[in-house]
Each structure stands twice: as C-alpha cells, then as structure tokens.
Amino acid sequence: MRDQPLSLTEAAKWLGCTVEEVSGYVADGRLKPFAGGADGQVSLNSVVVLAESLPAERGVFRVRDMPSYDSAPPRPAGGGYGGGPGGGFNKPRPAPIVERRPLRPPPRGE
C-alpha cells in the first residue's frame, strides 16, 4: 500500500487514543513520521502496523463472524467451481473479514 500522511489528530482517532499518546508512540519509535511530510504528520502504514500490534481489548479492529462451512452449498458433481475443462479449480476457504470499528471519542479524564 502506498504510504500517506496522517495528522496526529487523525492517527489518534484511528487508534482510539489521545494526541498525546500518539506523540508518545512517535517518541518511542512505534510510529514513524511521514517521510517528506510536514511536522506533525505520521505514516499511515506505521499506524496500521501499530494498530495490528495493539491488544484486541483496545477494539481498533473487530472480526465479523463468517457463515459456518456446514451451511455452505454442496459442490458441483465435477468437484470444482468452474474455470474450464476438467472440473475447474476448487474454491479457496474464505478469510475472516476484519472491519475497522466505528470511531468513538477518547475517554475523558484519563
């Protein structure tokens, strides 16, 4: 993914924390400043990497349940899902869908 600049405020909203915490992440080296950007901009790619490393309890990402494989439609008689002569290719298992949680204001008084 091509990197993009994010302001500290945007990064704080994305990570569900305060601007001060984002500044701390930059000072600790957990977030990288955007190369060639203005002061106060961080790398979107580094924000995503940091978000993926945070504990699940932070709620940055949530995983949506996928339908059960038991409820999947039966396979065609040829054993494949099209794709040409000889029965085609088997359909790969779907990956879990990860969605960004809705934004919420950071907790007050902490």
Side-chain angles (χ1 to χ4, degrees), residues 30-49:
R30 294 185 74 186
L31 279 179
K32 295 181 182 180
F34 183 72
D39 285 339
Q41 290 184 325
V42 294
S43 159
L44 171 62
N45 288 344
S46 70
V47 171
V48 171
V49 169

Side-chain angles (χ1 to χ4, degrees), residues 22-38:
V22 172
S23 296
Y25 289 139
V26 173
D28 294 343
R30 294 185 74 186
L31 279 179
K32 295 181 182 180
F34 183 72

Side-chain angles (χ1 to χ4, degrees), residues 2 4 15-16 18 23 31 42 46 51-53 57 59 67 71 73 83 88 91 93-95 98:
R2 185 173 22 183
Q4 297 179 17
L15 294 168
T18 64
S23 296
L31 279 179
V42 294
S46 70
E52 290 173 341
S53 71
E57 295 79 38
S71 64
K91 189 173 184 180
R93 290 183 102 161
V98 178

Side-chain angles (χ1 to χ4, degrees), residues 64-72 94 97:
R64 182 173 54 166
D65 291 331
M66 294 294 295
S68 169
Y69 291 109
D70 297 334
S71 64
I97 298 173

